[in-house]
């Protein structure tokens, strides 16, 4: 087991608190009895290069939900998916052509509730061998990598805001070069960074 794998595995074993898009907006009143749709996303960390990198995508501008935003490969759990891990692996194959058998699953981050009604479980995995990434044109505009060192640096995370449905909403952002990583993706990454920052 590599030092990185050991550190991540220990971090994932710690108690975690579920997160949501509403963490920075405590005045939000969520409806009682709301039903969230389960989803799985893959936090894939490539370890075969000079330094570890996290695989991310830029969503197609033609999509109905979150067009053009930065996201993990992944999506909702379909009827044929046994669990969120299988959903994340299936979607990663469909979206970026990551072979299902390639990721080495280390565990899950806490679930995250989104404003669009999903309960997203981030599946953390190491990708120890190169693969021929191909973007699925209908969903993914671009595949890129961000250094793990950038993602895990809690000082890089900012709290920003914008008006949404008539009110000011606050959210995390962790810009990287030309990529504006914000919202649910940034919140999940911020949780991961916080866990890994504990010594």
């Amino acid at each position: 087991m590599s030092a990185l794998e050991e550190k991540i595995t220990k971090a994932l074993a710690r108690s975690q608190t579920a997160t949501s898009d509403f963490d920075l907006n405590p005045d939000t009143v969520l409806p009682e009895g709301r039903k969230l749709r389960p989803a799985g996303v893959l936090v894939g960390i490539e370890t075969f290069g000079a330094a570890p990198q996290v695989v991310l995508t830029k969503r197609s501008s033609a999509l109905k939900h979150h067009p053009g935003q930065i996201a993990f490969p992944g999506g909702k759990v379909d009827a044929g998916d046994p669990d969120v891990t299988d959903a994340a692996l299936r979607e990663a194959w469909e979206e970026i052509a990551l072979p299902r058998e390639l990721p080495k699953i280390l565990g899950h981050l806490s679930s995250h509730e989104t404003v669009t009604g999903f309960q997203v479980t981030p599946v953390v995995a190491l990708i120890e061998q190169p693969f021929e990434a191909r973007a699925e044109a209908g969903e993914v505009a671009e595949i890129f990598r961000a250094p793990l060192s950038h993602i895990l640096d809690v000082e890089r995370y900012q709290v920003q805001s914008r008006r949404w449905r008539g009110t000011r909403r606050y959210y995390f952002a962790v810009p990287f070069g030309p990529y504006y990583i914000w919202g649910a993706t940034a919140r999940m990454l911020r949780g991961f960074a916080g866990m890994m920052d504990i010594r």
Side-chain angles (χ1 to χ4, degrees), residues 13-15 45 50 52 86 92 103 106-107 121 127 142 167 177 179:
R14 298 186 188 109
S15 176
I45 304 167
D86 277 273
L106 301 185
T121 301
I127 302 171
E142 184 180 352
T167 60
Y179 303 104

Side-chain angles (χ1 to χ4, degrees), residues 12-85:
L12 293 175
R14 298 186 188 109
S15 176
Q16 301 180 50
T17 302
T19 62
S20 83
D21 285 350
F22 312 103
D23 285 353
L24 299 175
N25 303 275
D27 294 335
T28 303
V29 178
L30 297 173
E32 289 292 331
R34 63 192 181 282
K35 295 197 181 302
L36 301 175
R37 294 168 287 177
V41 296
L42 188 72
V43 185
I45 304 167
E46 294 183 339
T47 60
F48 51 81
Q53 303 183 102
V54 177
V55 181
L56 293 164
T57 68
K58 183 175 182 181
R59 291 168 59 84
S60 167
S61 59
L63 290 173
K64 180 179 179 182
H65 297 295
H66 310 296
Q69 291 186 15
I70 305 305
F72 300 107
K76 66 181 180 179
V77 176
D78 285 348
D81 297 322
D83 53 34
V84 291
T85 298

Side-chain angles (χ1 to χ4, degrees), residues 7-19 106-111 122 124 151-152 154 157 187-199:
K7 185 174 182 180
I8 293 173
T9 301
K10 285 182 178 178
L12 293 175
R14 298 186 188 109
S15 176
Q16 301 180 50
T17 302
T19 62
L106 301 185
H108 300 140
L109 297 175
S110 59
S111 63
V124 182
I151 295 301
L152 295 184
V154 293
Y157 288 80
R187 179 65 187 93
M188 289 183 270
L189 288 173
R190 177 61 182 83
F192 185 34
M195 290 170 54
M196 293 288 285
D197 194 47
I198 297 174
R199 292 170 178 82

